Amino acid sequence: MEKELKKYKSTNSFLFNTDLNLEEVCNAPDGASGVFLVYDTTNEAKELIMVGSTGTVQNDGTLKVKSGGLYDKIVNGHQFAKTGRKYSWPAQMKKEEIESLEVVWYETFTEKVKGIPTFVEATVLQSYLDENGALPKWNVAF
């Protein structure tokens, strides 16, 4: 999985727990497209529990960045309910007794590197599926 992501140099991460505000701790850029990986860091061996992406490549090779980019997708994207992750993640973490998350994001489509976000997401998920026989537990389907 790491090899699929190593060519993307615009990357960073942040930690999140239920005492924090996702809008405040998320350091993903507003105008960027790419992928994000969510790890449960409750135990020593962190576990990948979700892979997501945002951004669409048009037929002329240009990128259509969805409003708010990676930041908005992580903070306000819907998951577990018809509400943004800033609300649904803390609720789900309490339900599953997850103490903390690490979110690692990669800008996959830049001037230098042109990785289609959904392709990169699919590649990471395929690698995970090959290794584990299933998708990460917070990825319902792909």
Side-chain angles (χ1 to χ4, degrees):
M1 219 169 10
E2 303 298 320
K3 68 179 183 195
E4 290 95 346
L5 299 168
K6 128 172 105 170
K7 67 180 167 184
Y8 305 110
K9 304 302 181 202
S10 179
T11 179
N12 207 334
S13 66
F14 63 91
L15 297 175
F16 177 70
N17 65 51
T18 57
D19 295 329
L20 299 173
N21 181 326
L22 188 57
E23 291 175 299
E24 293 174 5
V25 298
C26 181
N27 62 4
D30 284 342
S33 292
V35 299
F36 60 97
L37 287 68
V38 181
Y39 295 90
D40 175 352
T41 56
T42 302
N43 300 313
E44 270 186 48
K46 66 182 183 180
E47 174 190 359
L48 179 66
I49 60 173
M50 189 200 151
V51 180
S53 70
T54 187
T56 307
V57 177
Q58 305 300 299
N59 69 348
D60 65 358
T62 61
L63 181 71
K64 180 179 179 186
V65 178
K66 295 191 176 151
S67 177
L70 275 167
Y71 174 88
D72 189 61
K73 182 73 171 197
I74 293 168
V75 172
N76 297 309
H78 291 186
Q79 187 174 5
F80 305 118
K82 291 188 175 138
T83 185
R85 290 185 177 96
K86 63 185 170 189
Y87 303 115
S88 64
W89 276 3
Q92 191 68 21
M93 290 169 71
K94 286 176 184 171
K95 183 178 174 183
E96 295 184 29
E97 297 181 353
I98 295 173
E99 293 174 17
S100 61
L101 300 175
E102 179 184 13
V103 180
V104 183
W105 56 264
Y106 298 84
E107 189 176 1
T108 64
F109 200 95
T110 65
E111 287 296 316
K112 294 181 180 178
V113 181
K114 308 260 188 247
I116 299 170
T118 50
F119 175 77
V120 177
E121 177 187 19
T123 303
V124 171
L125 286 171
Q126 183 65 57
S127 178
Y128 186 91
L129 178 64
D130 291 346
E131 291 173 23
N132 299 282
L135 294 178
K137 68 181 180 180
W138 282 10
N139 283 95
V140 177
F142 187 78

